[in-house]
Amino acid sequence: MSLDLPPIPPSDLDPFGTAFFDNPYPEHERLRQAGPVVWIERYGVYGVARYDEVHHVLNDWRTFCSSRGVGLQDFSREKPWRPPSLVLETDPPEHDRARKVLARVLSPVTMRDLRDGFMEAADRLIRSLVGREIDGVADLAQAFPLSVFPDRIGLRHEGREHLLPYAGLAFNAFGPDNELRRTAMERAAPHIAWVNEQCRRENLSPDGLGARVHAAAVTGEVTGDEATLLVRSLLTAGIDTTVNGIGAALYCLGRFPDQFAALRADPSLARNAFEEAVRFESPVQTFFRTTTCDAELGGAAIPEGAKVLMFLAAANRDPRRWDRPDDYDITRKTSGHVGFGAGIHMCVGQLLARLEGEAVLHALARHVTRLEITGDPVRSYNNTLRGLASLPMRLI
Amino acid sequence: MKITFIAADGTETAVDAAEGESIMRAAVRNDVDGIIGECGGSMMCATCHCYVDEAWADATGQQEDGESDLLDCAASEVRPTSRLSCQIRMSAELEGVVIHLPESQL
């Protein structure tokens, strides 16, 4: 490795601390300013917060792999807390075979079938909330995905209350062994047991998306056990993420009334208004990769076997890439944001997420004239996810 | 390298692209209306649908595996020259390529 590369600036930040979660933006700016790559002393990992480096790491899976875990834990040294995901925590070629199954189940063709039902469900929900004091998180951001997602997957009704705690656990598990992760792990057993059971073919309704994943086992594309694990991916990544995405959009529209007015004037902006909220709030804040060889990144030398923490949220507001990055602008050209990741691991459920977000925002645009935040929002802490625990609001 | 986009209403926009860059990314980077690229090039959507000018059809090559399935879901008419612009990468043979844009992507 060449010795004339510049030293990597250190940072004493705890990127998994509640003080950081309360207001990450000044720290994001400090990380971006420090250099293309920083050294996060507390955890002994490298960090990237500028758009170009985050985008580069996401797109170079040969150097920055996922099979050693996309959290702080290195699966080559420590035992993962659950059998690894067949898509999130794998590299090609294994990854591609599994991803192909999920991509087909979550394809644009599926979305065309789901679209009218989702639009009607959002319409009903929003109409029932107009004129009321509500909690934007429980009554809307959680209520909508919970009203459409489990049914479409084909889950039984009993036990659905395990879905959100299980997802919270999985996303906390990417972080360090801090109080958030430990508390989640202590309470994990019943959630894990329920989710694992629901992923089996016999527990999924034959007309749902879960059953369509299992259909790939009939043709031999994957084994039955692999299909069960792929359904687990749907349940892990399909609900808390959209809850936080819709919550982000509500919080944005509440804070930027001119943007809500623009949305009301042209409801066809609903889809982009959701997308911009995903850029602006980045419901998934961070993921790790692990280097497969000695590598150079942004002019810095990184040894083999190092963890690299990608600050997706910081990349999504990097002024090197975005004009007025701290403005929520529903007409912005959002393509290229990394809120859904990028490259081969880019969120396979992105179309479903967008459809849910679009349905909710389209209904808001048609039925609500004013959207007011009426009390202090309460933040929900998670090692990976950014979102609110409650958002008091009034829909008028 | 130069790419010329011709919108459905006939408006022409010429942009500079880097070698190896996809036509979708060049369009988005240069604010060309008519290409959205919602999925960022991960072959999940069909919002970067374009029609390759017939004179360039040989140079851009055939549709990639999986492209036609996505094009089936495109918002505008699919023609023999239809491609997902995220799957066409700029190379010396494509210097000056002409790309026609559909009326809508969503």
Side-chain angles (χ1 to χ4, degrees):
Chain A
M1 208 168 295
S2 89
L3 294 170
D4 53 6
L5 291 172
I8 296 173
S11 164
D12 61 2
L13 172 72
D14 181 0
F16 303 100
T18 52
F20 174 66
F21 295 154
D22 281 332
N23 184 15
Y25 301 108
E27 290 296 343
H28 282 160
E29 176 59 13
R30 233 165 274 152
L31 290 167
R32 285 188 302 250
Q33 285 293 71
V37 179
V38 295
W39 173 249
I40 312 281
E41 294 171 324
R42 193 185 180 99
Y43 299 111
V45 301
Y46 296 87
V48 284
R50 294 184 187 175
Y51 180 86
D52 280 351
E53 279 71 31
V54 169
H55 194 262
H56 177 90
V57 171
L58 284 167
N59 280 285
D60 183 2
W61 57 263
R62 286 182 177 85
T63 309
F64 302 98
C65 78
S66 290
S67 56
R68 288 168 73 169
V70 297
L72 179 62
Q73 260 193 338
D74 183 346
F75 290 179
S76 74
R77 296 192 181 118
E78 287 176 85
K79 187 179 183 293
W81 69 280
R82 61 174 193 178
S85 160
L86 295 178
V87 278
L88 185 72
E89 294 156 334
T90 54
D91 303 319
E94 296 78 21
H95 162 269
D96 299 358
R97 188 172 57 92
R99 166 133 183 153
K100 201 170 169 185
V101 174
L102 291 185
R104 190 171 55 235
V105 171
L106 298 167
S107 71
V109 179
T110 303
M111 297 311 130
R112 207 155 47 187
D113 295 340
L114 297 179
R115 187 175 183 85
D116 289 349
F118 276 39
M119 297 302 267
E120 284 160 23
D123 214 68
R124 276 196 304 276
L125 176 64
I126 298 300
R127 275 190 284 135
S128 77
L129 298 176
V130 173
R132 287 174 44 195
E133 302 273 341
I134 64 163
D135 175 0
V137 175
D139 299 329
L140 184 42
Q142 291 182 350
F144 182 69
L146 287 171
S147 77
V148 292
F149 181 78
D151 284 345
R152 295 309 176 283
I153 296 296
L155 295 178
R156 64 166 70 138
H157 282 268
E158 200 173 68
R160 288 181 181 185
E161 68 277 6
H162 289 290
L163 281 170
L164 287 174
Y166 181 81
L169 161 71
F171 283 97
N172 267 320
F174 296 123
D177 183 29
N178 58 10
E179 197 184 329
L180 281 170
R181 191 179 194 274
R182 278 194 298 271
T183 307
M185 286 294 170
E186 279 160 20
R187 300 172 183 168
H191 309 313
I192 295 174
W194 183 83
V195 163
N196 287 345
E197 191 58 25
Q198 304 319 305
C199 294
R200 297 155 62 92
R201 188 178 53 82
E202 59 270 29
N203 291 324
L204 292 159
S205 82
D207 56 352
L209 300 180
R212 284 172 52 191
V213 174
H214 277 285
V218 176
T219 59
E221 222 177 334
V222 291
T223 69
D225 287 347
E226 287 173 333
T228 301
L229 268 183
L230 285 175
V231 175
R232 193 193 68 182
S233 292
L234 295 180
L235 301 191
T236 310
I239 189 95
D240 218 0
T241 48
T242 54
V243 166
N244 286 312
I246 293 168
L250 284 177
Y251 192 30
C252 285
L253 291 168
R255 282 175 295 169
F256 296 86
D258 61 319
Q259 295 302 301
F260 185 60
L263 175 62
R264 284 189 60 224
D266 182 2
S268 75
L269 291 170
R271 195 169 175 94
N272 204 58
F274 177 72
E275 197 74 23
E276 168 71 345
V278 174
R279 179 197 70 86
F280 191 82
E281 285 290 330
S282 299
V284 176
Q285 292 272 295
T286 49
F287 269 127
F288 289 84
R289 295 290 188 262
T290 312
T291 47
T292 57
C293 54
D294 291 347
E296 194 180 316
L297 175 62
I302 301 184
E304 184 276 334
K307 283 281 177 180
V308 179
L309 175 58
M310 300 176 290
F311 290 89
L312 305 175
N316 277 343
R317 292 199 189 195
D318 183 354
R320 294 163 191 79
R321 168 64 177 77
W322 307 97
D323 290 331
R324 301 169 294 107
D326 298 325
D327 287 359
Y328 173 70
D329 173 3
I330 68 170
T331 63
R332 182 190 297 277
K333 280 192 197 298
T334 51
S335 179
H337 79 78
V338 292
F340 288 110
I344 63 166
H345 290 284
M346 188 176 180
C347 175
V348 74
Q350 56 182 281
L351 294 178
L352 188 64
R354 289 195 186 101
L355 179 58
E356 289 185 27
E358 181 185 4
V360 168
L361 297 195
H362 206 275
L364 282 173
R366 281 177 289 117
H367 299 300
V368 175
T369 51
R370 275 210 330 271
L371 190 150
E372 291 173 356
I373 297 176
T374 55
D376 291 335
V378 179
R379 191 148 289 288
S380 165
Y381 296 128
N382 182 284
N383 280 331
T384 305
L385 297 174
R386 179 169 181 78
L388 297 173
S390 73
L391 176 63
M393 60 196 310
R394 191 186 294 126
L395 305 185
I396 299 165
Chain B
M1 340 187 88
K2 198 179 120 185
I3 306 173
T4 300
F5 293 97
I6 304 179
D9 68 3
T11 315
E12 288 192 20
T13 314
V15 308
D16 270 325
E19 174 145 22
E21 186 175 35
S22 77
I23 288 181
M24 179 279 284
R25 198 160 153 83
V28 169
R29 205 168 44 75
N30 288 285
D31 261 352
V32 174
D33 283 325
I35 294 279
I36 298 178
E38 200 175 68
C39 79
S42 64
M43 281 271 274
M44 290 290 300
C45 72
T47 64
C48 69
H49 177 201
C50 71
Y51 307 115
V52 175
D53 190 271
E54 290 194 6
W56 294 89
D58 286 341
T60 53
Q62 299 293 307
Q63 291 179 3
E64 299 292 326
D65 186 29
E67 214 176 314
S68 69
D69 291 345
L70 286 171
L71 282 167
D72 283 346
C73 300
S76 294
E77 177 201 0
V78 177
R79 304 175 193 160
T81 55
S82 284
R83 290 292 307 270
L84 293 179
S85 57
C86 68
Q87 297 304 307
I88 308 172
R89 294 198 177 273
M90 289 305 289
S91 60
E93 304 85 78
L94 292 180
E95 171 64 51
V97 65
V98 177
I99 298 292
H100 300 267
L101 299 171
E103 257 173 53
S104 67
Q105 297 282 6
L106 285 173

